[in-house]
Amino acid sequence: MAGPVRKLVLASASPRRRALLGELGWSFEVRVAEVDETPRNGETPGAMALRLASAKAKAVADRMRREGECAGAVFLGADTVVVLGEAVLGKPRDRDDARRMLRTLAGREHTVLTAIALVGEECERSALESTQVTFRPLDDAAVDAYVATGEGDDKAGAYAIQGHGALLVERISGCYFNVVGLPLHRLSVLLDECGWNLSQQWRMEAMP
């Protein structure tokens, strides 16, 4: 059986993921992972997200291991992609690219996939969460106004459901937090499997 989790390390620079963990009252560290996110030939969006989430967690784990800081730690990596039909919508290159993405998404249903990976000394788990999101119809003026907020500049699909982008969304089917970038229920289940059970997860002191 996996030993107790003594430290959680978020291998991500995402302020949304950091905020979600903070709202749970958990104690955690943030270490940014630098990995090549280039898609591989023939790789499905889900497989790519799982690969990158694991790569991020392992990159930070390896770095902290060399520094002698990883004892008892579990490293959390995550990767989110937006999929419309056969197209994967990553972060927009610029505002024009953001406008193109939003016009493509307008009035249609798309899929948000977030992969999470936990890497520890005695435990390694990963999972992929899927949520269906339907946008309301949008005219060019609405698209331009949203892009001008800058909210979607660094987001997959060029929008943030937890901000002004909530008004773009007609409905969702599945986990809301998955669309934000970190499916909390799925993470809780994986942490349970790694020795930090649900009753401990409610207590801030569970991770000193």
Side-chain angles (χ1 to χ4, degrees), residues 131-134 161 169-177 179:
T131 302
Q132 302 302 119
V133 180
T134 301
I161 195 172
V169 176
E170 180 179 308
R171 63 180 178 274
I172 72 169
S173 177
C175 176
Y176 165 82
F177 298 106
V179 186

Side-chain angles (χ1 to χ4, degrees), residues 57-80:
K58 289 178 178 178
V60 173
D62 289 345
R63 188 169 74 235
M64 290 185 67
R65 187 174 294 114
R66 291 193 299 270
E67 297 168 355
E69 298 182 66
C70 70
V74 165
F75 300 86
L76 168 60
D79 190 75
T80 299

Side-chain angles (χ1 to χ4, degrees), residues 4-9 64 69-75 119-122:
V5 176
R6 295 201 298 273
K7 178 165 62 177
L8 180 66
V9 179
M64 290 185 67
E69 298 182 66
C70 70
V74 165
F75 300 86
V119 174
E121 293 175 346
E122 302 178 36

Side-chain angles (χ1 to χ4, degrees), residues 129-202:
E129 190 76 18
S130 176
T131 302
Q132 302 302 119
V133 180
T134 301
F135 266 26
R136 66 193 292 178
L138 301 170
D139 59 23
D140 287 348
V143 169
D144 290 345
Y146 181 71
V147 170
T149 69
E151 185 177 77
D153 288 353
D154 63 343
K155 314 285 193 308
Y159 75 97
I161 195 172
Q162 74 277 18
H164 298 294
L167 303 182
L168 304 175
V169 176
E170 180 179 308
R171 63 180 178 274
I172 72 169
S173 177
C175 176
Y176 165 82
F177 298 106
N178 184 55
V179 186
V180 179
L182 193 64
L184 296 179
H185 167 261
R186 187 74 64 179
L187 172 60
S188 175
V189 170
L190 296 188
L191 282 169
D192 194 347
E193 294 175 2
C194 286
W196 197 41
N197 64 43
L198 184 57
S199 61
Q200 291 172 313
Q201 291 172 27
W202 278 312

